[in-house]
Amino acid sequence: IKSYGDLAVFFYRLQHTELALHYVSRALYLLHLTCGANHPNTAATYINVAMMEEGLGNIHVALRYLQEALHINQKLLGPDHVQTAASYHAIAIALSLMEPPLYTLSMQHEQTTLDILERKLGPDDLRTQDAAAWLEYFD
């Protein structure tokens, strides 16, 4: 599974996104067989697929993967986990890339990201400060 994931990242960085999607899809298939659909590694792979789909301009497809990753993270890690916050942030970014951009929804998701990070990491953490900057950008 790791080798397929590594190949996906390698080809994605070379901007061969279709080939990267082929390898990440294989990794996702194997993850489903070995770990199941409700596993943190599956959620992380969904986020990778979404990033690749975003790169191809398939924002609606990316959003579906991101929402599934969020659902898994909420269920397994809890609503206040840092990885759950990362899922909210990824959705906020994707919503801002839609035509027309959905900044109001982006702000709602980024506010949730910021709230979680402030509680878990504090206001001085760089991830918290980054979320605050994104929130200002969406506003």
Side-chain angles (χ1 to χ4, degrees):
I1 296 170
K2 184 178 179 336
S3 295
Y4 282 114
D6 291 345
L7 282 169
V9 170
F10 174 76
F11 284 113
Y12 180 73
R13 288 185 178 160
L14 290 176
Q15 298 179 348
H16 296 289
T17 308
E18 285 91 3
L19 191 53
L21 274 169
H22 169 75
Y23 284 110
V24 79
S25 294
R26 186 68 178 161
L28 193 56
Y29 171 74
L30 293 172
L31 275 169
H32 277 247
L33 288 176
T34 58
C35 301
N38 291 316
H39 191 276
N41 291 345
T42 304
T45 303
Y46 283 151
I47 292 171
N48 290 339
V49 172
M51 182 176 59
M52 293 173 193
E53 291 289 357
E54 268 182 21
L56 293 174
N58 300 328
I59 307 303
H60 291 284
V61 174
L63 271 170
R64 283 195 300 252
Y65 279 103
L66 292 172
Q67 288 167 339
E68 187 60 30
L70 173 62
H71 175 74
I72 292 169
N73 286 331
Q74 287 174 322
K75 181 178 176 181
L76 297 179
L77 305 174
D80 253 14
H81 195 276
V82 172
Q83 189 58 37
T84 303
S87 293
Y88 277 111
H89 173 70
I91 291 172
I93 298 296
L95 289 167
S96 74
L97 296 173
M98 295 187 72
E99 289 296 328
L102 300 175
Y103 289 123
T104 301
L105 286 174
S106 291
M107 286 178 59
Q108 291 172 2
H109 282 77
E110 198 61 35
Q111 183 64 57
T112 303
T113 302
L114 182 60
D115 292 344
I116 294 169
L117 295 178
E118 283 178 337
R119 281 191 301 275
K120 289 297 190 177
L121 305 175
D124 296 331
D125 189 271
L126 291 177
R127 291 167 285 187
T128 305
Q129 293 172 6
D130 188 51
W134 275 105
L135 194 58
E136 284 184 32
Y137 172 77
F138 294 140
D139 192 23

